[in-house]
Amino acid sequence: MKKFLILILGVSSVLHAQDLIDIPVADVLRTDLDVVFEIDTDENYSKVTLDCQSFLHGINIYDENNRNLLQFYLYEPECHEVLNFIWNRKDEGKQSCIRLDLAKNGYELLESCD
């Protein structure tokens, strides 16, 4: 149990220690909630969601046990901007990338993470 807790804290610390986190978006999937979407990514994240429904909007990164490793808060218009960018790129048959800048509490919407 101690090793598992240390591993979880270590992964969480690694995410927070990075200034930039790139999330390559292969697809966006609907969930049971109206405005919460799961982002299909090729990265080593177990689950990434875009939550534009809860009181606190944002991008959430979870581990394999569904524990929240990172919550990146967005204002409501920002959340919808991210969603619309992803949907538009998907409609064009293209992938997209969300770059989170933890140091500046900002984000960029990119055509690719390269």
Side-chain angles (χ1 to χ4, degrees), residues 43-77:
E43 283 297 311
N44 294 328
Y45 310 124
S46 291
K47 182 175 161 185
V48 178
T49 62
L50 175 63
D51 184 348
C52 298
Q53 181 169 326
S54 299
F55 180 72
L56 297 174
H57 303 305
I59 297 170
N60 300 290
I61 299 176
Y62 297 91
D63 69 5
E64 62 277 350
N65 293 314
N66 212 31
R67 289 191 189 100
N68 195 320
L69 297 175
L70 177 72
Q71 186 167 14
F72 187 85
Y73 298 108
L74 297 167
Y75 291 106
E76 184 175 359

PDB file of all heavy atoms in Angstrom, residues 43-77:
ATOM      1  N   GLU A  43      -1.410   9.729 -25.166  1.00  0.00           N
ATOM      2  CA  GLU A  43      -0.465   9.887 -24.064  1.00  0.00           C
ATOM      3  C   GLU A  43      -0.701   8.805 -23.014  1.00  0.00           C
ATOM      4  O   GLU A  43      -1.675   8.071 -23.060  1.00  0.00           O
ATOM      5  CB  GLU A  43      -0.608  11.265 -23.420  1.00  0.00           C
ATOM      6  CG  GLU A  43       0.021  12.366 -24.211  1.00  0.00           C
ATOM      7  CD  GLU A  43       1.531  12.215 -24.372  1.00  0.00           C
ATOM      8  OE1 GLU A  43       2.233  11.977 -23.377  1.00  0.00           O
ATOM      9  OE2 GLU A  43       1.988  12.342 -25.500  1.00  0.00           O
ATOM     10  N   ASN A  44       0.156   8.751 -22.032  1.00  0.00           N
ATOM     11  CA  ASN A  44       0.097   7.730 -20.991  1.00  0.00           C
ATOM     12  C   ASN A  44      -0.853   8.090 -19.858  1.00  0.00           C
ATOM     13  O   ASN A  44      -0.661   7.659 -18.737  1.00  0.00           O
ATOM     14  CB  ASN A  44       1.499   7.477 -20.422  1.00  0.00           C
ATOM     15  CG  ASN A  44       2.405   6.867 -21.463  1.00  0.00           C
ATOM     16  OD1 ASN A  44       1.952   6.122 -22.321  1.00  0.00           O
ATOM     17  ND2 ASN A  44       3.672   7.181 -21.400  1.00  0.00           N
ATOM     18  N   TYR A  45      -1.855   8.887 -20.155  1.00  0.00           N
ATOM     19  CA  TYR A  45      -2.854   9.222 -19.145  1.00  0.00           C
ATOM     20  C   TYR A  45      -3.970   8.196 -19.224  1.00  0.00           C
ATOM     21  O   TYR A  45      -4.430   7.857 -20.309  1.00  0.00           O
ATOM     22  CB  TYR A  45      -3.430  10.614 -19.382  1.00  0.00           C
ATOM     23  CG  TYR A  45      -2.391  11.693 -19.580  1.00  0.00           C
ATOM     24  CD1 TYR A  45      -2.402  12.481 -20.709  1.00  0.00           C
ATOM     25  CD2 TYR A  45      -1.391  11.910 -18.630  1.00  0.00           C
ATOM     26  CE1 TYR A  45      -1.452  13.478 -20.899  1.00  0.00           C
ATOM     27  CE2 TYR A  45      -0.441  12.892 -18.815  1.00  0.00           C
ATOM     28  CZ  TYR A  45      -0.479  13.677 -19.953  1.00  0.00           C
ATOM     29  OH  TYR A  45       0.467  14.648 -20.133  1.00  0.00           O
ATOM     30  N   SER A  46      -4.419   7.716 -18.087  1.00  0.00           N
ATOM     31  CA  SER A  46      -5.487   6.729 -18.099  1.00  0.00           C
ATOM     32  C   SER A  46      -6.796   7.330 -18.594  1.00  0.00           C
ATOM     33  O   SER A  46      -7.542   6.696 -19.322  1.00  0.00           O
ATOM     34  CB  SER A  46      -5.689   6.139 -16.702  1.00  0.00           C
ATOM     35  OG  SER A  46      -4.581   5.352 -16.362  1.00  0.00           O
ATOM     36  N   LYS A  47      -7.052   8.578 -18.190  1.00  0.00           N
ATOM     37  CA  LYS A  47      -8.303   9.214 -18.603  1.00  0.00           C
ATOM     38  C   LYS A  47      -8.127  10.728 -18.535  1.00  0.00           C
ATOM     39  O   LYS A  47      -7.552  11.251 -17.589  1.00  0.00           O
ATOM     40  CB  LYS A  47      -9.427   8.773 -17.666  1.00  0.00           C
ATOM     41  CG  LYS A  47     -10.788   9.307 -17.998  1.00  0.00           C
ATOM     42  CD  LYS A  47     -11.802   8.676 -17.052  1.00  0.00           C
ATOM     43  CE  LYS A  47     -13.081   9.432 -16.973  1.00  0.00           C
ATOM     44  NZ  LYS A  47     -13.979   8.859 -15.976  1.00  0.00           N
ATOM     45  N   VAL A  48      -8.632  11.406 -19.557  1.00  0.00           N
ATOM     46  CA  VAL A  48      -8.619  12.869 -19.592  1.00  0.00           C
ATOM     47  C   VAL A  48     -10.034  13.312 -19.922  1.00  0.00           C
ATOM     48  O   VAL A  48     -10.646  12.797 -20.864  1.00  0.00           O
ATOM     49  CB  VAL A  48      -7.643  13.406 -20.652  1.00  0.00           C
ATOM     50  CG1 VAL A  48      -7.683  14.926 -20.691  1.00  0.00           C
ATOM     51  CG2 VAL A  48      -6.225  12.923 -20.385  1.00  0.00           C
ATOM     52  N   THR A  49     -10.562  14.245 -19.128  1.00  0.00           N
ATOM     53  CA  THR A  49     -11.899  14.752 -19.409  1.00  0.00           C
ATOM     54  C   THR A  49     -11.873  16.268 -19.582  1.00  0.00           C
ATOM     55  O   THR A  49     -11.026  16.958 -19.020  1.00  0.00           O
ATOM     56  CB  THR A  49     -12.902  14.410 -18.289  1.00  0.00           C
ATOM     57  OG1 THR A  49     -12.479  15.020 -17.071  1.00  0.00           O
ATOM     58  CG2 THR A  49     -13.053  12.914 -18.106  1.00  0.00           C
ATOM     59  N   LEU A  50     -12.829  16.734 -20.354  1.00  0.00           N
ATOM     60  CA  LEU A  50     -13.097  18.161 -20.497  1.00  0.00           C
ATOM     61  C   LEU A  50     -14.470  18.366 -19.892  1.00  0.00           C
ATOM     62  O   LEU A  50     -15.476  17.889 -20.419  1.00  0.00           O
ATOM     63  CB  LEU A  50     -13.070  18.588 -21.965  1.00  0.00           C
ATOM     64  CG  LEU A  50     -13.450  20.035 -22.233  1.00  0.00           C
ATOM     65  CD1 LEU A  50     -12.449  20.995 -21.579  1.00  0.00           C
ATOM     66  CD2 LEU A  50     -13.532  20.301 -23.729  1.00  0.00           C
ATOM     67  N   ASP A  51     -14.512  19.041 -18.759  1.00  0.00           N
ATOM     68  CA  ASP A  51     -15.751  19.222 -17.997  1.00  0.00           C
ATOM     69  C   ASP A  51     -16.229  20.661 -18.125  1.00  0.00           C
ATOM     70  O   ASP A  51     -15.663  21.565 -17.518  1.00  0.00           O
ATOM     71  CB  ASP A  51     -15.500  18.858 -16.530  1.00  0.00           C
ATOM     72  CG  ASP A  51     -16.748  18.931 -15.675  1.00  0.00           C
ATOM     73  OD1 ASP A  51     -17.769  19.480 -16.135  1.00  0.00           O
ATOM     74  OD2 ASP A  51     -16.699  18.441 -14.537  1.00  0.00           O
ATOM     75  N   CYS A  52     -17.262  20.858 -18.924  1.00  0.00           N
ATOM     76  CA  CYS A  52     -17.862  22.180 -19.096  1.00  0.00           C
ATOM     77  C   CYS A  52     -19.221  22.252 -18.412  1.00  0.00           C
ATOM     78  O   CYS A  52     -20.022  23.143 -18.692  1.00  0.00           O
ATOM     79  CB  CYS A  52     -18.017  22.502 -20.577  1.00  0.00           C
ATOM     80  SG  CYS A  52     -16.472  22.571 -21.492  1.00  0.00           S
ATOM     81  N   GLN A  53     -19.484  21.307 -17.510  1.00  0.00           N
ATOM     82  CA  GLN A  53     -20.790  21.233 -16.852  1.00  0.00           C
ATOM     83  C   GLN A  53     -20.724  21.510 -15.360  1.00  0.00           C
ATOM     84  O   GLN A  53     -21.607  22.163 -14.817  1.00  0.00           O
ATOM     85  CB  GLN A  53     -21.408  19.850 -17.098  1.00  0.00           C
ATOM     86  CG  GLN A  53     -22.772  19.680 -16.484  1.00  0.00           C
ATOM     87  CD  GLN A  53     -23.458  18.425 -16.964  1.00  0.00           C
ATOM     88  OE1 GLN A  53     -23.289  18.013 -18.099  1.00  0.00           O
ATOM     89  NE2 GLN A  53     -24.237  17.799 -16.099  1.00  0.00           N
ATOM     90  N   SER A  54     -19.714  21.026 -14.700  1.00  0.00           N
ATOM     91  CA  SER A  54     -19.623  21.164 -13.244  1.00  0.00           C
ATOM     92  C   SER A  54     -19.453  22.622 -12.842  1.00  0.00           C
ATOM     93  O   SER A  54     -19.202  23.489 -13.680  1.00  0.00           O
ATOM     94  CB  SER A  54     -18.438  20.357 -12.714  1.00  0.00           C
ATOM     95  OG  SER A  54     -18.597  19.004 -13.002  1.00  0.00           O
ATOM     96  N   PHE A  55     -19.561  22.872 -11.564  1.00  0.00           N
ATOM     97  CA  PHE A  55     -19.361  24.226 -11.051  1.00  0.00           C
ATOM     98  C   PHE A  55     -17.966  24.727 -11.404  1.00  0.00           C
ATOM     99  O   PHE A  55     -17.780  25.876 -11.763  1.00  0.00           O
ATOM    100  CB  PHE A  55     -19.585  24.241  -9.534  1.00  0.00           C
ATOM    101  CG  PHE A  55     -19.407  25.594  -8.925  1.00  0.00           C
ATOM    102  CD1 PHE A  55     -20.339  26.609  -9.134  1.00  0.00           C
ATOM    103  CD2 PHE A  55     -18.291  25.870  -8.154  1.00  0.00           C
ATOM    104  CE1 PHE A  55     -20.164  27.864  -8.573  1.00  0.00           C
ATOM    105  CE2 PHE A  55     -18.113  27.123  -7.593  1.00  0.00           C
ATOM    106  CZ  PHE A  55     -19.057  28.124  -7.799  1.00  0.00           C
ATOM    107  N   LEU A  56     -16.975  23.834 -11.300  1.00  0.00           N
ATOM    108  CA  LEU A  56     -15.601  24.163 -11.662  1.00  0.00           C
ATOM    109  C   LEU A  56     -15.286  23.510 -13.004  1.00  0.00           C
ATOM    110  O   LEU A  56     -15.065  22.312 -13.091  1.00  0.00           O
ATOM    111  CB  LEU A  56     -14.627  23.682 -10.590  1.00  0.00           C
ATOM    112  CG  LEU A  56     -14.792  24.323  -9.218  1.00  0.00           C
ATOM    113  CD1 LEU A  56     -13.874  23.658  -8.204  1.00  0.00           C
ATOM    114  CD2 LEU A  56     -14.520  25.816  -9.278  1.00  0.00           C
ATOM    115  N   HIS A  57     -15.292  24.285 -14.075  1.00  0.00           N
ATOM    116  CA  HIS A  57     -14.994  23.782 -15.409  1.00  0.00           C
ATOM    117  C   HIS A  57     -13.499  23.516 -15.530  1.00  0.00           C
ATOM    118  O   HIS A  57     -12.694  24.182 -14.885  1.00  0.00           O
ATOM    119  CB  HIS A  57     -15.384  24.807 -16.474  1.00  0.00           C
ATOM    120  CG  HIS A  57     -16.815  25.212 -16.437  1.00  0.00           C
ATOM    121  ND1 HIS A  57     -17.849  24.317 -16.511  1.00  0.00           N
ATOM    122  CD2 HIS A  57     -17.392  26.428 -16.339  1.00  0.00           C
ATOM    123  CE1 HIS A  57     -18.995  24.957 -16.469  1.00  0.00           C
ATOM    124  NE2 HIS A  57     -18.745  26.253 -16.342  1.00  0.00           N
ATOM    125  N   GLY A  58     -13.149  22.569 -16.404  1.00  0.00           N
ATOM    126  CA  GLY A  58     -11.734  22.364 -16.631  1.00  0.00           C
ATOM    127  C   GLY A  58     -11.381  21.060 -17.290  1.00  0.00           C
ATOM    128  O   GLY A  58     -12.239  20.270 -17.673  1.00  0.00           O
ATOM    129  N   ILE A  59     -10.082  20.861 -17.411  1.00  0.00           N
ATOM    130  CA  ILE A  59      -9.506  19.637 -17.958  1.00  0.00           C
ATOM    131  C   ILE A  59      -8.959  18.838 -16.788  1.00  0.00           C
ATOM    132  O   ILE A  59      -8.223  19.369 -15.955  1.00  0.00           O
ATOM    133  CB  ILE A  59      -8.388  19.969 -18.968  1.00  0.00           C
ATOM    134  CG1 ILE A  59      -8.989  20.735 -20.148  1.00  0.00           C
ATOM    135  CG2 ILE A  59      -7.670  18.698 -19.416  1.00  0.00           C
ATOM    136  CD1 ILE A  59      -7.960  21.325 -21.077  1.00  0.00           C
ATOM    137  N   ASN A  60      -9.352  17.582 -16.713  1.00  0.00           N
ATOM    138  CA  ASN A  60      -8.948  16.713 -15.609  1.00  0.00           C
ATOM    139  C   ASN A  60      -8.177  15.523 -16.144  1.00  0.00           C
ATOM    140  O   ASN A  60      -8.596  14.900 -17.124  1.00  0.00           O
ATOM    141  CB  ASN A  60     -10.179  16.215 -14.853  1.00  0.00           C
ATOM    142  CG  ASN A  60     -10.979  17.357 -14.278  1.00  0.00           C
ATOM    143  OD1 ASN A  60     -10.538  18.004 -13.346  1.00  0.00           O
ATOM    144  ND2 ASN A  60     -12.129  17.645 -14.860  1.00  0.00           N
ATOM    145  N   ILE A  61      -7.069  15.213 -15.496  1.00  0.00           N
ATOM    146  CA  ILE A  61      -6.263  14.048 -15.847  1.00  0.00           C
ATOM    147  C   ILE A  61      -6.344  13.076 -14.672  1.00  0.00           C
ATOM    148  O   ILE A  61      -6.084  13.453 -13.525  1.00  0.00           O
ATOM    149  CB  ILE A  61      -4.801  14.434 -16.144  1.00  0.00           C
ATOM    150  CG1 ILE A  61      -4.750  15.405 -17.328  1.00  0.00           C
ATOM    151  CG2 ILE A  61      -3.959  13.193 -16.415  1.00  0.00           C
ATOM    152  CD1 ILE A  61      -3.364  15.935 -17.640  1.00  0.00           C
ATOM    153  N   TYR A  62      -6.687  11.821 -14.980  1.00  0.00           N
ATOM    154  CA  TYR A  62      -6.890  10.802 -13.955  1.00  0.00           C
ATOM    155  C   TYR A  62      -5.890   9.666 -14.122  1.00  0.00           C
ATOM    156  O   TYR A  62      -5.406   9.406 -15.226  1.00  0.00           O
ATOM    157  CB  TYR A  62      -8.305  10.209 -14.066  1.00  0.00           C
ATOM    158  CG  TYR A  62      -9.397  11.209 -13.833  1.00  0.00           C
ATOM    159  CD1 TYR A  62      -9.945  11.923 -14.884  1.00  0.00           C
ATOM    160  CD2 TYR A  62      -9.882  11.442 -12.558  1.00  0.00           C
ATOM    161  CE1 TYR A  62     -10.957  12.843 -14.680  1.00  0.00           C
ATOM    162  CE2 TYR A  62     -10.888  12.360 -12.340  1.00  0.00           C
ATOM    163  CZ  TYR A  62     -11.426  13.060 -13.403  1.00  0.00           C
ATOM    164  OH  TYR A  62     -12.420  13.979 -13.194  1.00  0.00           O
ATOM    165  N   ASP A  63      -5.639   8.944 -13.021  1.00  0.00           N
ATOM    166  CA  ASP A  63      -4.801   7.752 -13.081  1.00  0.00           C
ATOM    167  C   ASP A  63      -5.689   6.536 -13.340  1.00  0.00           C
ATOM    168  O   ASP A  63      -6.903   6.663 -13.521  1.00  0.00           O
ATOM    169  CB  ASP A  63      -3.962   7.589 -11.813  1.00  0.00           C
ATOM    170  CG  ASP A  63      -4.770   7.245 -10.569  1.00  0.00           C
ATOM    171  OD1 ASP A  63      -6.008   7.018 -10.669  1.00  0.00           O
ATOM    172  OD2 ASP A  63      -4.179   7.194  -9.480  1.00  0.00           O
ATOM    173  N   GLU A  64      -5.081   5.356 -13.357  1.00  0.00           N
ATOM    174  CA  GLU A  64      -5.817   4.125 -13.663  1.00  0.00           C
ATOM    175  C   GLU A  64      -6.862   3.772 -12.611  1.00  0.00           C
ATOM    176  O   GLU A  64      -7.751   2.973 -12.861  1.00  0.00           O
ATOM    177  CB  GLU A  64      -4.852   2.946 -13.876  1.00  0.00           C
ATOM    178  CG  GLU A  64      -4.013   2.586 -12.676  1.00  0.00           C
ATOM    179  CD  GLU A  64      -2.766   3.457 -12.529  1.00  0.00           C
ATOM    180  OE1 GLU A  64      -2.424   4.227 -13.427  1.00  0.00           O
ATOM    181  OE2 GLU A  64      -2.129   3.370 -11.466  1.00  0.00           O
ATOM    182  N   ASN A  65      -6.786   4.354 -11.426  1.00  0.00           N
ATOM    183  CA  ASN A  65      -7.779   4.119 -10.379  1.00  0.00           C
ATOM    184  C   ASN A  65      -8.800   5.252 -10.290  1.00  0.00           C
ATOM    185  O   ASN A  65      -9.486   5.408  -9.289  1.00  0.00           O
ATOM    186  CB  ASN A  65      -7.089   3.932  -9.024  1.00  0.00           C
ATOM    187  CG  ASN A  65      -6.272   2.665  -8.994  1.00  0.00           C
ATOM    188  OD1 ASN A  65      -6.743   1.617  -9.428  1.00  0.00           O
ATOM    189  ND2 ASN A  65      -5.038   2.753  -8.546  1.00  0.00           N
ATOM    190  N   ASN A  66      -8.852   6.058 -11.349  1.00  0.00           N
ATOM    191  CA  ASN A  66      -9.800   7.170 -11.453  1.00  0.00           C
ATOM    192  C   ASN A  66      -9.576   8.247 -10.394  1.00  0.00           C
ATOM    193  O   ASN A  66     -10.496   8.951 -10.005  1.00  0.00           O
ATOM    194  CB  ASN A  66     -11.246   6.667 -11.432  1.00  0.00           C
ATOM    195  CG  ASN A  66     -12.148   7.546 -12.252  1.00  0.00           C
ATOM    196  OD1 ASN A  66     -11.722   8.139 -13.242  1.00  0.00           O
ATOM    197  ND2 ASN A  66     -13.397   7.635 -11.853  1.00  0.00           N
ATOM    198  N   ARG A  67      -8.335   8.370  -9.929  1.00  0.00           N
ATOM    199  CA  ARG A  67      -7.975   9.451  -9.013  1.00  0.00           C
ATOM    200  C   ARG A  67      -7.513  10.643  -9.831  1.00  0.00           C
ATOM    201  O   ARG A  67      -6.738  10.500 -10.773  1.00  0.00           O
ATOM    202  CB  ARG A  67      -6.852   9.019  -8.071  1.00  0.00           C
ATOM    203  CG  ARG A  67      -7.315   8.009  -7.062  1.00  0.00           C
ATOM    204  CD  ARG A  67      -6.253   7.816  -5.976  1.00  0.00           C
ATOM    205  NE  ARG A  67      -6.603   6.715  -5.149  1.00  0.00           N
ATOM    206  CZ  ARG A  67      -6.084   5.498  -5.247  1.00  0.00           C
ATOM    207  NH1 ARG A  67      -5.156   5.241  -6.137  1.00  0.00           N
ATOM    208  NH2 ARG A  67      -6.474   4.539  -4.449  1.00  0.00           N
ATOM    209  N   ASN A  68      -7.974  11.808  -9.472  1.00  0.00           N
ATOM    210  CA  ASN A  68      -7.639  13.021 -10.200  1.00  0.00           C
ATOM    211  C   ASN A  68      -6.193  13.421  -9.914  1.00  0.00           C
ATOM    212  O   ASN A  68      -5.843  13.762  -8.800  1.00  0.00           O
ATOM    213  CB  ASN A  68      -8.599  14.138  -9.798  1.00  0.00           C
ATOM    214  CG  ASN A  68      -8.552  15.301 -10.743  1.00  0.00           C
ATOM    215  OD1 ASN A  68      -7.489  15.682 -11.207  1.00  0.00           O
ATOM    216  ND2 ASN A  68      -9.699  15.876 -11.011  1.00  0.00           N
ATOM    217  N   LEU A  69      -5.350  13.381 -10.951  1.00  0.00           N
ATOM    218  CA  LEU A  69      -3.950  13.758 -10.816  1.00  0.00           C
ATOM    219  C   LEU A  69      -3.745  15.242 -11.052  1.00  0.00           C
ATOM    220  O   LEU A  69      -2.824  15.840 -10.512  1.00  0.00           O
ATOM    221  CB  LEU A  69      -3.090  12.970 -11.805  1.00  0.00           C
ATOM    222  CG  LEU A  69      -3.061  11.467 -11.632  1.00  0.00           C
ATOM    223  CD1 LEU A  69      -2.272  10.820 -12.754  1.00  0.00           C
ATOM    224  CD2 LEU A  69      -2.469  11.098 -10.279  1.00  0.00           C
ATOM    225  N   LEU A  70      -4.581  15.816 -11.913  1.00  0.00           N
ATOM    226  CA  LEU A  70      -4.440  17.226 -12.244  1.00  0.00           C
ATOM    227  C   LEU A  70      -5.794  17.783 -12.635  1.00  0.00           C
ATOM    228  O   LEU A  70      -6.525  17.167 -13.409  1.00  0.00           O
ATOM    229  CB  LEU A  70      -3.458  17.410 -13.415  1.00  0.00           C
ATOM    230  CG  LEU A  70      -3.280  18.844 -13.903  1.00  0.00           C
ATOM    231  CD1 LEU A  70      -2.474  19.659 -12.890  1.00  0.00           C
ATOM    232  CD2 LEU A  70      -2.610  18.871 -15.253  1.00  0.00           C
ATOM    233  N   GLN A  71      -6.120  18.927 -12.090  1.00  0.00           N
ATOM    234  CA  GLN A  71      -7.319  19.644 -12.502  1.00  0.00           C
ATOM    235  C   GLN A  71      -6.876  21.027 -12.957  1.00  0.00           C
ATOM    236  O   GLN A  71      -6.336  21.802 -12.178  1.00  0.00           O
ATOM    237  CB  GLN A  71      -8.335  19.747 -11.375  1.00  0.00           C
ATOM    238  CG  GLN A  71      -9.640  20.364 -11.846  1.00  0.00           C
ATOM    239  CD  GLN A  71     -10.762  20.205 -10.844  1.00  0.00           C
ATOM    240  OE1 GLN A  71     -10.535  19.857  -9.685  1.00  0.00           O
ATOM    241  NE2 GLN A  71     -11.968  20.437 -11.290  1.00  0.00           N
ATOM    242  N   PHE A  72      -7.093  21.304 -14.237  1.00  0.00           N
ATOM    243  CA  PHE A  72      -6.732  22.580 -14.833  1.00  0.00           C
ATOM    244  C   PHE A  72      -8.027  23.346 -15.048  1.00  0.00           C
ATOM    245  O   PHE A  72      -8.861  22.986 -15.875  1.00  0.00           O
ATOM    246  CB  PHE A  72      -6.009  22.354 -16.166  1.00  0.00           C
ATOM    247  CG  PHE A  72      -5.463  23.604 -16.773  1.00  0.00           C
ATOM    248  CD1 PHE A  72      -4.223  24.075 -16.396  1.00  0.00           C
ATOM    249  CD2 PHE A  72      -6.205  24.310 -17.697  1.00  0.00           C
ATOM    250  CE1 PHE A  72      -3.719  25.233 -16.957  1.00  0.00           C
ATOM    251  CE2 PHE A  72      -5.711  25.471 -18.254  1.00  0.00           C
ATOM    252  CZ  PHE A  72      -4.464  25.938 -17.880  1.00  0.00           C
ATOM    253  N   TYR A  73      -8.217  24.403 -14.276  1.00  0.00           N
ATOM    254  CA  TYR A  73      -9.478  25.138 -14.299  1.00  0.00           C
ATOM    255  C   TYR A  73      -9.587  26.045 -15.511  1.00  0.00           C
ATOM    256  O   TYR A  73      -8.610  26.653 -15.948  1.00  0.00           O
ATOM    257  CB  TYR A  73      -9.618  25.974 -13.023  1.00  0.00           C
ATOM    258  CG  TYR A  73      -9.663  25.136 -11.777  1.00  0.00           C
ATOM    259  CD1 TYR A  73      -8.590  25.107 -10.899  1.00  0.00           C
ATOM    260  CD2 TYR A  73     -10.776  24.356 -11.490  1.00  0.00           C
ATOM    261  CE1 TYR A  73      -8.618  24.320  -9.759  1.00  0.00           C
ATOM    262  CE2 TYR A  73     -10.816  23.564 -10.357  1.00  0.00           C
ATOM    263  CZ  TYR A  73      -9.736  23.559  -9.495  1.00  0.00           C
ATOM    264  OH  TYR A  73      -9.768  22.775  -8.376  1.00  0.00           O
ATOM    265  N   LEU A  74     -10.803  26.121 -16.044  1.00  0.00           N
ATOM    266  CA  LEU A  74     -11.118  26.991 -17.170  1.00  0.00           C
ATOM    267  C   LEU A  74     -12.380  27.786 -16.843  1.00  0.00           C
ATOM    268  O   LEU A  74     -13.259  27.294 -16.144  1.00  0.00           O
ATOM    269  CB  LEU A  74     -11.394  26.163 -18.433  1.00  0.00           C
ATOM    270  CG  LEU A  74     -10.256  25.317 -18.987  1.00  0.00           C
ATOM    271  CD1 LEU A  74     -10.786  24.342 -20.033  1.00  0.00           C
ATOM    272  CD2 LEU A  74      -9.179  26.199 -19.581  1.00  0.00           C
ATOM    273  N   TYR A  75     -12.460  29.001 -17.368  1.00  0.00           N
ATOM    274  CA  TYR A  75     -13.715  29.741 -17.311  1.00  0.00           C
ATOM    275  C   TYR A  75     -14.668  29.103 -18.315  1.00  0.00           C
ATOM    276  O   TYR A  75     -14.244  28.445 -19.268  1.00  0.00           O
ATOM    277  CB  TYR A  75     -13.494  31.216 -17.643  1.00  0.00           C
ATOM    278  CG  TYR A  75     -12.724  31.960 -16.589  1.00  0.00           C
ATOM    279  CD1 TYR A  75     -11.399  32.320 -16.806  1.00  0.00           C
ATOM    280  CD2 TYR A  75     -13.318  32.297 -15.371  1.00  0.00           C
ATOM    281  CE1 TYR A  75     -10.676  33.005 -15.833  1.00  0.00           C
ATOM    282  CE2 TYR A  75     -12.605  32.972 -14.392  1.00  0.00           C
ATOM    283  CZ  TYR A  75     -11.288  33.324 -14.632  1.00  0.00           C
ATOM    284  OH  TYR A  75     -10.580  33.990 -13.665  1.00  0.00           O
ATOM    285  N   GLU A  76     -15.960  29.324 -18.138  1.00  0.00           N
ATOM    286  CA  GLU A  76     -16.951  28.703 -19.015  1.00  0.00           C
ATOM    287  C   GLU A  76     -16.691  28.991 -20.502  1.00  0.00           C
ATOM    288  O   GLU A  76     -16.693  28.059 -21.319  1.00  0.00           O
ATOM    289  CB  GLU A  76     -18.362  29.132 -18.629  1.00  0.00           C
ATOM    290  CG  GLU A  76     -19.432  28.435 -19.448  1.00  0.00           C
ATOM    291  CD  GLU A  76     -20.832  28.770 -18.983  1.00  0.00           C
ATOM    292  OE1 GLU A  76     -20.999  29.532 -18.010  1.00  0.00           O
ATOM    293  OE2 GLU A  76     -21.764  28.269 -19.630  1.00  0.00           O
ATOM    294  N   PRO A  77     -16.430  30.246 -20.909  1.00  0.00           N
ATOM    295  CA  PRO A  77     -16.161  30.489 -22.333  1.00  0.00           C
ATOM    296  C   PRO A  77     -14.898  29.770 -22.830  1.00  0.00           C
ATOM    297  O   PRO A  77     -14.850  29.310 -23.971  1.00  0.00           O
ATOM    298  CB  PRO A  77     -15.975  32.007 -22.424  1.00  0.00           C
ATOM    299  CG  PRO A  77     -16.588  32.567 -21.187  1.00  0.00           C
ATOM    300  CD  PRO A  77     -16.485  31.496 -20.147  1.00  0.00           C
TER     301      PRO A  77
END
